[in-house]
Amino acid sequence: MSVVVWRDELDTGIDVIDGQHRRIVEMINQLELARHGHSREAVSEVLDELVDYTLSHFAFEEALMEDAGYAFCAAHRRVHELFARRVQEYRLRFQAGEDMLDELRAMLVRWLFNHIRSDDKAYSPTVKQHLNGFASTHENGGWLRRTLLRFFR
């Protein structure tokens, strides 16, 4: 069993987003552990949690981009939608009894790392500038930091 390892080169410089990305990597590793535990029920639970968390992450990320006025927000949202459909297809295949977890894992890791390196790093300067401006006018980020930590620990 191989473990997916986070690489610092994947950091966007937006702490909350980087934390969410790391959490997704942890969930991919949990999926692998559940699979090797030979429990379809455990795999199903981790897969459901992974999908739910990823969709929440996408919504959060899209809201940040929109608030920051990122020019390619709609295109980024479309990439997220296509990925969500693709993962749902894998989920249905799993529920139908197909053994596709190796394929799913490989796709998740490849997609996530490529998406972060290109799409997410593209929006990060715009979002960071927006967040820095917001934070400087709101007690150095106190309110924002507390709010974000409530939702994404």
Side-chain angles (χ1 to χ4, degrees), residues 4-21:
V4 181
V5 177
W6 181 262
R7 301 177 199 134
D8 289 341
E9 71 187 42
L10 296 169
D11 287 338
T12 63
I14 304 168
D15 291 342
V16 67
I17 294 296
D18 294 336
Q20 291 172 11
H21 288 158

Side-chain angles (χ1 to χ4, degrees), residues 61-99:
E61 192 176 74
E62 290 163 10
L64 279 179
M65 287 186 290
E66 190 172 312
D67 288 348
Y70 180 59
F72 301 103
C73 185
H76 197 113
R77 180 177 287 116
R78 181 75 178 131
V79 169
H80 286 168
E81 290 168 358
L82 292 171
F83 176 76
R85 273 195 224 130
R86 191 170 176 195
V87 171
Q88 183 58 23
E89 289 170 8
Y90 277 102
R91 190 190 229 174
L92 292 172
R93 288 171 56 193
F94 175 78
Q95 291 169 347
E98 186 177 338
D99 181 16

Side-chain angles (χ1 to χ4, degrees), residues 37-143:
H38 305 292
S39 167
R40 283 190 64 80
E41 183 178 324
V43 170
S44 182
E45 288 175 14
V46 173
L47 185 55
D48 289 345
E49 182 182 2
L50 174 62
V51 169
D52 291 346
Y53 188 86
T54 300
L55 292 177
S56 296
H57 164 70
F58 286 169
F60 181 79
E61 192 176 74
E62 290 163 10
L64 279 179
M65 287 186 290
E66 190 172 312
D67 288 348
Y70 180 59
F72 301 103
C73 185
H76 197 113
R77 180 177 287 116
R78 181 75 178 131
V79 169
H80 286 168
E81 290 168 358
L82 292 171
F83 176 76
R85 273 195 224 130
R86 191 170 176 195
V87 171
Q88 183 58 23
E89 289 170 8
Y90 277 102
R91 190 190 229 174
L92 292 172
R93 288 171 56 193
F94 175 78
Q95 291 169 347
E98 186 177 338
D99 181 16
M100 40 43 83
L101 292 174
D102 283 337
E103 181 184 338
L104 172 61
R105 183 180 177 281
M107 185 279 295
L108 289 171
V109 173
R110 184 177 52 253
W111 187 90
L112 178 64
F113 286 6
N114 287 336
H115 180 70
I116 292 169
R117 282 187 190 111
S118 61
D119 299 324
D120 289 355
K121 287 214 177 183
Y123 77 67
S124 69
T126 302
V127 169
K128 283 192 300 191
Q129 181 179 11
H130 174 72
L131 290 175
N132 289 339
F134 183 86
S136 68
T137 60
H138 292 88
E139 300 178 32
N140 295 322
W143 173 86

